[in-house]
């Protein structure tokens, strides 16, 4: 009788093994495939968010570049610099800087001397009260001195920005530079987030690369 029970137990275990093990293997395969699909979907989402961020930044760079080039040709702006008694006594700049802030939605617009000193500037509310610093050591300004109108992502006032610089010329001679910037801040990230649904943030590395 004990032999019969043992035999029955073996048969029962065998039947359980035949029915349960395939199910376990099936669940493992399904789980593996589900995990792979989730990973693929996440990768696609990340790539799409990255692409959208790149496109948005490139569009802003192009727009800022075009705005600054247009404003740098404003005759009132040119004459106010040309006929000023000195660089430190520039006349009223008219609406050029105001247009940069209020019409073209820049966060910073400034007139910069040939050696990088900020002669005049106007900011959005986000930068009001921020200290005025020289642009002399900003790589984009150095590039503009060699190549003329330039644009790109640049650190300005310890903030990551999309910036553009254009020479202000009179009869072909550069007399100053017009420098404009859009902040890459949480407000900008929110605009991208509203389009993509992805959480986007911009971080500025410190001198140690952190």
């Amino acid at each position: 009788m004990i032999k019969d029970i043992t035999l029955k137990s073996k048969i029962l275990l065998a039947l359980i093994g035949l029915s349960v093990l395939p199910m376990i293997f099936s669940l493992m395969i399904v789980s593996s495939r589900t995990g792979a699909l989730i990973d693929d979907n996440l990768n696609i989402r990340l790539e799409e968010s990255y692409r959208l961020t790149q496109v948005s930044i490139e569009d802003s760079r192009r727009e800022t570049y075009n705005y600054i080039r247009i404003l740098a040709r404003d005759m009132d702006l040119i004459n106010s610099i040309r006929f000023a008694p000195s660089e430190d006594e520039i006349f009223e700049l008219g609406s050029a800087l105001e247009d940069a802030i209020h019409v073209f939605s820049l966060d910073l617009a400034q007139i910069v001397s040939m050696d990088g000193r900020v002669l005049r500037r106007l900011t959005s509310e986000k930068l009001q009260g921020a200290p005025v610093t020289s642009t002399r050591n900003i790589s984009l300004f150095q590039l503009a001195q060699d190549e003329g109108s330039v644009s790109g992502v640049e650190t300005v006032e310890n903030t990551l920005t999309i910036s553009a610089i254009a020479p202000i010329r009179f009869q072909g001679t550069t007399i100053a530079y017009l420098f404009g910037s859009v902040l890459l801040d949480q407000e900008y990230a929110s605009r991208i987030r509203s389009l993509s649904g992805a959480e986007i943030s911009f971080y500025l590395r410190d001198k140690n690369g952190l």
Side-chain angles (χ1 to χ4, degrees):
M1 184 172 178
I2 295 177
K3 290 183 179 180
D4 290 341
I5 294 175
T6 302
L7 181 60
K8 290 179 180 179
S9 299
K10 290 181 178 179
I11 294 172
L12 180 60
L13 289 173
L15 291 173
I16 292 174
L18 289 173
S19 60
V20 173
L21 288 179
M23 184 182 297
I24 293 174
F25 287 132
S26 297
L27 289 173
M28 291 174 64
I29 293 172
V30 169
S31 177
S32 176
R33 290 181 177 177
T34 301
L37 287 173
I38 292 174
D39 289 342
D40 289 343
N41 288 335
L42 285 174
N43 288 332
I44 292 172
R45 183 74 177 274
L46 288 173
E47 289 174 3
E48 180 63 21
S49 297
Y50 178 71
R51 185 194 65 79
L52 186 59
T53 301
Q54 280 189 314
V55 169
S56 178
I57 290 176
E58 176 58 22
D59 286 345
S60 295
R61 184 203 63 77
R62 190 182 303 110
E63 290 177 359
T64 303
Y65 176 75
N66 290 334
Y67 295 158
I68 291 300
R69 290 187 66 194
I70 292 171
L71 292 173
R73 299 171 186 172
D74 183 89
M75 286 309 302
D76 289 337
L77 176 65
I78 293 171
N79 289 332
S80 68
I81 297 170
R82 177 172 175 255
F83 294 111
S86 69
E87 285 187 341
D88 296 322
E89 298 178 273
I90 295 177
F91 295 134
E92 177 61 40
L93 296 177
S95 63
L97 295 188
E98 292 182 357
D99 286 348
I101 301 298
H102 302 302
V103 177
F104 298 132
S105 300
L106 301 185
D107 291 305
L108 173 67
Q110 49 192 7
I111 306 298
V112 179
S113 69
M114 300 294 290
D115 62 356
R117 290 187 303 114
V118 176
L119 304 177
R120 290 287 188 277
R121 83 168 187 171
L122 194 64
T123 70
S124 66
E125 292 183 0
K126 291 184 286 187
L127 280 177
Q128 285 184 2
V132 179
T133 56
S134 171
T135 63
R136 189 177 295 112
N137 296 323
I138 293 178
S139 59
L140 204 61
F141 175 71
Q142 296 169 355
L143 187 62
Q145 290 178 306
D146 295 329
E147 300 185 8
S149 299
V150 294
S151 61
V153 176
E154 183 62 85
T155 303
V156 179
E157 308 291 1
N158 294 320
T159 304
L160 202 60
T161 71
I162 298 171
S163 294
I165 306 176
I168 301 171
R169 294 191 174 106
F170 177 73
Q171 294 183 349
T173 300
T174 300
I175 57 177
Y177 291 91
L178 182 60
F179 193 138
S181 301
V182 174
L183 299 183
L184 285 175
D185 56 7
Q186 289 308 112
E187 181 178 323
Y188 190 94
S190 295
R191 295 205 299 268
I192 299 178
R193 189 182 305 124
S194 66
L195 296 174
S196 67
E199 291 295 327
I200 301 293
S201 295
F202 297 101
Y203 295 97
L204 180 63
R205 289 185 176 182
D206 60 21
K207 295 181 180 179
N208 298 318
L210 300 175

